[in-house]
Amino acid sequence: MRVISADGEQLGIMTREEAMALAEEKDLDLVCIAPKAQPPVCKILDYGKFKYEQQKKEKEAKKKQHTTQVKEIRLSTFIEDHDIMVKAKTGAKFLKEGNKLKVSLRFRGRERDYVDRGQEVMQKFAEAVSDAGELEKRPKMEGRSLSMVLTPKSDKK
């Protein structure tokens, strides 16, 4: 196996017993870094410190991650223009935070006869949030409801 010292210096290729003896001599551990390499690569180091550093790196990487959530806004068939603008303002806020936005409109009872009116409401909403987001999925009927998905606008120019 190829052995590397604690300070990163190549010690060369040696047997497992020689490497273990060298690690014990320095009061450190022999850790296999790349077992599938030919020959396997091992490093002489303090295993406790190694695990601690690894956990610290993982924690730091998790901090920088941003999970995208899907927020939902519900509209109605006969919603007034001002109400659409109020809901669009909330939707734009969600999109600017980096979340996806699902907009749904449920048809109740005889409202099913006014699907075209629902399409108009969805179109008005999409235009109102066009500065913050773009359509990912066009308005589509799913059972008794009409829904569309908007994503935050990408700043690629």
Side-chain angles (χ1 to χ4, degrees):
M1 64 178 58
R2 184 175 305 277
V3 182
I4 302 170
S5 71
D7 54 343
E9 182 186 330
Q10 293 264 352
L11 299 177
I13 297 173
M14 53 181 77
T15 64
R16 185 173 177 261
E17 290 75 25
E18 289 174 311
M20 289 291 287
L22 200 59
E24 284 178 21
E25 184 181 300
K26 295 180 180 179
D27 275 341
L28 295 171
D29 304 305
L30 183 68
V31 180
C32 197
I33 304 291
K36 294 192 180 185
Q38 206 57 32
V41 180
C42 295
K43 192 170 185 177
I44 297 173
L45 48 81
D46 182 5
Y47 188 69
K49 188 176 179 183
F50 173 72
K51 285 295 281 184
Y52 172 74
E53 291 292 328
Q54 219 173 19
Q55 286 174 344
K56 215 164 125 179
K57 283 179 188 173
E58 286 174 12
K59 194 174 181 183
E60 198 62 37
K62 265 188 182 176
K63 272 186 190 176
K64 293 177 183 172
Q65 260 181 1
H66 180 268
T67 56
T68 303
Q69 288 184 316
V70 179
K71 302 281 189 168
E72 184 173 2
I73 289 184
R74 290 185 180 158
L75 303 173
S76 61
T77 313
F78 296 101
I79 189 171
E80 292 295 320
D81 288 344
H82 179 265
D83 295 333
I84 291 175
M85 298 316 286
V86 170
K87 292 202 179 233
K89 201 176 202 180
T90 306
K93 185 181 85 177
F94 290 151
L95 290 167
K96 285 177 182 168
E97 288 172 0
N99 298 312
K100 283 189 175 187
L101 182 65
K102 181 180 179 183
V103 183
S104 59
L105 190 150
R106 185 172 222 154
F107 295 101
R108 299 190 313 259
R110 293 183 183 154
E111 289 178 358
R112 273 189 156 170
D113 298 335
Y114 299 98
V115 175
D116 55 330
R117 174 76 174 117
Q119 292 278 4
E120 288 173 26
V121 169
M122 289 291 219
Q123 189 61 40
K124 283 182 188 176
F125 186 89
E127 287 170 10
V129 295
S130 62
D131 60 318
E134 47 198 25
L135 266 173
E136 180 182 286
K137 190 177 131 200
R138 299 196 143 286
K140 182 181 171 192
M141 281 297 287
E142 295 170 351
R144 292 189 313 178
S145 62
L146 184 67
S147 65
M148 70 177 171
V149 178
L150 298 159
T151 53
K153 253 193 179 159
S154 54
D155 295 328
K156 295 176 186 172
K157 287 186 179 181

